[in-house]
Amino acid sequence: RSTMIRIPSKFELLRFCRATNSTSRSTMGAPSADELGFAKSLTVKEIGGTNCIVLQQDASLGSISTIVLRGSTDGFLDDVERAINDGINTYKALGRDSRTLPAGGATEIEIARRVAEFGRKQTGLEQYAIIKYAEAFEVVPRTLAENSGLNATNAVSALYTAHANGQTNMGVSIESGEPQDLSEEGIMDLYGTKWWAIKLATEAVCTVLKVDQIIMAKQAGGPKPRSGQMDDD
C-alpha cells in the first residue's frame, strides 16, 4: 500500500523530509534506498475542526516537532505565538553565544554614564554629539518605566544614582519602580542582542549624518502671477 500526501508549501515539504530523513524529488521514478525515509506513525487527526496529518517519530530519528496553539481569539493566539518565537530565538542565540548582561536597562544606563563622562572631558563641538549619543541609551529604561506605568524621569535618575555608587547591575523593576539587581531573579539580557542593536543603530545614525545633499521640494501650485499692473481688458 502507498499513502499520498499533498503538501503545497515548500517549507512544509522540507520539514517533512527532514523529519522522515528522506529526500524530495522533482521527477517521477523509483527512489533509491538513500532517498527513502521512515515514519513510525502517520495518522489523520482532527484539531480544532481541521483535519491534520500527525507524524510521530522516534527522537533518535529526528529533532523536529510542531507546537499546536489553540485560543479563543486571534489576538491571544498572536501573543502566544510571538512569545514562543521569542523563547525559541533566545534559546538559539544562547546556543551561539551564551554570554549575558544585566537586564532592566542596567547595561544601557552604565554605557550612557561612561560615554557621558568621556564626552564631558572632550573639548569643542564633539562633546555635544558624544553627550547626546549617551542620552540616547536612556530610551530602554525609560520605555520600560513608561510601559509599566511608572515615572520614567524618577526611574532613570534612580538608576544613575545607583550606578554612580558602584551598583552597576541595577535595572528598572517593573513592579516597584526602584533599582533592583534582576540577575538575582534569573532575568538577564543576551550579549549578542545588545551588541547587534547598538552596532546597527549607530551605523544607521552615521549613515544619516553622512548625507551631504538636501533636496528641497518646491511649493505645489500653478505659476506665480506676474508683478505689475495688468489691464483687465
Side-chain angles (χ1 to χ4, degrees):
R1 296 184 302 171
S2 61
T3 302
M4 306 297 294
I5 302 175
R6 184 173 179 268
I7 304 178
S9 173
K10 183 179 180 181
F11 173 75
E12 295 294 338
L13 178 61
L14 294 177
R15 292 186 76 245
F16 185 84
C17 293
R18 185 179 177 185
T20 57
N21 196 21
S22 59
T23 303
S24 62
R25 298 186 51 174
S26 58
T27 59
M28 299 296 294
S32 62
D34 297 336
E35 295 175 342
L36 292 176
F38 174 78
K40 180 181 179 181
S41 175
L42 193 63
T43 58
V44 178
K45 184 177 180 181
E46 183 179 356
I47 302 177
T50 303
N51 292 328
C52 301
I53 299 176
V54 179
L55 170 64
Q56 295 182 359
Q57 196 72 291
D58 291 333
S60 59
L61 299 177
S63 58
I64 296 180
S65 59
T66 302
I67 301 176
V68 180
L69 303 178
R70 300 185 63 181
S72 57
T73 61
D74 294 337
F76 175 77
L77 287 175
D78 292 339
D79 293 339
V80 176
E81 182 180 2
R82 184 164 51 250
I84 293 177
N85 287 332
D86 293 342
I88 294 175
N89 292 329
T90 301
Y91 187 81
K92 291 170 60 178
L94 282 173
R96 293 190 295 265
D97 189 349
S98 60
R99 290 177 293 179
T100 57
L101 295 172
T107 304
E108 287 77 10
I109 286 295
E110 184 63 21
I111 294 176
R113 187 179 68 87
R114 296 192 181 189
V115 173
E117 290 180 357
F118 173 78
R120 285 190 288 267
K121 296 178 182 179
Q122 304 302 311
T123 58
L125 298 177
E126 291 82 3
Q127 63 174 326
Y128 299 103
I130 296 174
I131 292 176
K132 287 300 180 181
Y133 179 76
E135 293 177 358
F137 285 94
E138 298 178 1
V139 67
V140 174
R142 188 176 297 274
T143 303
L144 288 174
E146 291 177 353
N147 293 342
S148 304
L150 305 174
N151 191 318
T153 303
N154 295 339
V156 173
S157 299
L159 285 181
Y160 271 117
T161 303
H163 282 247
N165 295 330
Q167 300 174 341
T168 57
N169 290 339
M170 291 296 180
V172 177
S173 175
I174 61 175
E175 296 180 354
S176 62
E178 299 295 330
Q180 180 182 354
D181 188 359
L182 300 177
S183 60
E184 297 178 353
E185 300 183 2
I187 303 175
M188 304 290 290
D189 283 339
L190 292 178
Y191 170 83
T193 304
K194 295 290 184 183
W195 189 87
W196 279 106
I198 296 174
K199 181 177 183 296
L200 295 178
T202 304
E203 289 180 353
V205 173
C206 293
T207 302
V208 174
L209 294 177
K210 287 180 181 178
V211 176
D212 55 358
Q213 292 182 355
I214 300 177
I215 301 176
M216 300 296 294
K218 295 183 178 181
Q219 185 177 3
K224 295 182 179 180
R226 290 178 295 179
S227 58
Q229 297 181 356
M230 299 178 62
D231 190 358
D232 295 337
D233 297 335

